[in-house]
Amino acid sequence: MLVATMTSKEVFDVMQKDVERLSAFLSHKEKSLMSELRKSRREMVSQSYDYHTPNADYIIVLRCNRKGYVSRMRFAFIEETLEYVSSAIQGKSKGVVSYSVHLLRRYAERVLHDSSLPMRKIFLKFCQDSVFACIYTDKDYFVTATETGICLGKYDNTRDIIVNRTFVSRDMLKETQLSAWNKVERFVKVALDARNKYGMNSKEFQAILRTIPQEMALSREEAAKIYASYFEKNDE
């Protein structure tokens, strides 16, 4: 089972043990979703599932579109730290990103207006709505913008894990925070459309990520003024 003291590599190794089991489960679900898609007029269908193994408790998000794009996202729960972790592979690099339960509940409260939803349903909507554009980062903290607001996070250098700590919806941003979000609004919408149409690993989507203008980024001084209060505490 996953525990709070595990490093990124240890978490990744545990989750890798379930790849074959999860693949078999999702292959069956994928066929059902594609059948549902063919019977409808929608361009994409999505579903989320709870799945338990001896190694971890998972929430899995499965998405399919008419162009054959299939997205499988899995998030494993660490009870001690109240966070869901997701493994990622990019080229030869492996890493782990975490999303706190606090962040997900904040998202449900502020965007979905229902914080009582089951976690798998919150994840389903969160994954549907979110493409992250980083507008600030330093050695300890980062700020990313999504279509519905901003996520504030911290690099856990002890575990080597990227931790998304809290979420602030657009309507709750202060004037200075909103101006920073507005810098990336157009990019986020274009990137979200491209991801849904072509897939996260597609050349089209990756090309858009490489075109992020420099002016979208905030200076350290700007970020410190806008986000310092969030970085100082977990709850906001």
Side-chain angles (χ1 to χ4, degrees):
M1 293 293 289
L2 298 174
V3 296
T5 56
M6 283 183 171
T7 64
S8 175
K9 181 182 182 305
E10 290 169 332
V11 170
F12 187 90
D13 289 345
V14 169
M15 294 181 71
Q16 283 299 104
K17 294 177 181 178
D18 290 326
V19 167
E20 189 172 329
R21 181 186 285 112
L22 290 172
S23 179
F25 171 77
L26 287 173
S27 292
H28 171 70
K29 296 298 183 182
E30 184 182 321
K31 291 177 182 178
S32 297
L33 275 188
M34 291 303 294
S35 176
E36 177 185 336
L37 182 61
R38 286 191 292 269
K39 295 175 183 177
S40 72
R41 295 183 178 181
R42 289 177 288 174
E43 289 298 317
M44 174 173 282
V45 291
S46 306
Q47 190 54 269
S48 59
Y49 312 92
D50 291 308
Y51 193 84
H52 173 77
T53 77
N55 300 308
D57 293 321
Y58 292 94
I59 289 175
I60 304 170
V61 177
L62 180 62
R63 309 172 72 234
C64 307
N65 75 6
R66 290 189 179 278
K67 292 184 178 292
Y69 160 58
V70 177
S71 170
R72 297 174 171 185
M73 291 170 277
R74 56 183 181 140
F75 306 90
F77 186 55
I78 302 181
E79 186 172 5
E80 295 164 277
T81 49
L82 294 177
E83 63 184 332
Y84 286 86
V85 291
S86 177
S87 60
I89 301 176
Q90 187 169 8
K92 295 182 179 180
S93 301
K94 301 176 182 178
V96 171
V97 179
S98 86
Y99 302 88
S100 70
V101 169
H102 169 78
L103 177 148
L104 294 162
R105 290 295 181 198
R106 280 288 195 241
Y107 170 79
E109 173 188 337
R110 294 167 177 172
V111 176
L112 306 180
H113 307 294
D114 186 355
S115 59
S116 67
L117 287 170
M119 193 59 67
R120 69 176 182 83
K121 291 191 175 182
I122 297 173
F123 254 119
L124 178 63
K125 291 298 296 180
F126 187 72
C127 292
Q128 287 174 338
D129 295 342
S130 299
V131 165
F132 297 91
C134 186
I135 55 178
Y136 175 74
T137 183
D138 61 25
K139 66 182 180 64
D140 295 312
Y141 302 105
F142 62 88
V143 180
T144 56
T146 77
E147 192 175 31
T148 51
I150 60 171
C151 293
L152 299 113
K154 183 175 183 178
Y155 298 109
D156 186 334
N157 296 311
T158 301
R159 297 188 298 161
D160 192 26
I161 291 177
I162 299 171
V163 182
N164 289 278
R165 296 169 65 184
T166 194
F167 175 86
V168 185
S169 59
R170 184 184 178 186
D171 63 301
M172 296 190 70
L173 296 177
K174 299 175 183 177
E175 184 176 347
T176 51
Q177 295 168 326
L178 188 59
S179 66
W181 186 89
N182 286 337
K183 286 184 177 183
V184 297
E185 178 182 12
R186 182 186 61 81
F187 163 79
V188 169
K189 289 182 177 179
V190 170
L192 187 62
D193 288 342
R195 187 203 66 180
N196 290 341
K197 186 175 181 179
Y198 301 109
M200 189 174 296
N201 297 319
S202 67
K203 293 180 180 179
E204 292 85 354
F205 179 67
Q206 294 302 319
I208 289 174
L209 293 185
R210 290 192 294 270
T211 63
I212 303 175
Q214 185 61 37
E215 60 265 22
M216 286 184 182
L218 302 178
S219 69
R220 184 181 182 87
E221 290 73 24
E222 286 176 312
K225 290 177 182 178
I226 297 172
Y227 304 114
S229 61
Y230 291 107
F231 291 151
E232 290 168 0
K233 52 185 178 294
N234 288 323
D235 295 324
E236 180 60 41

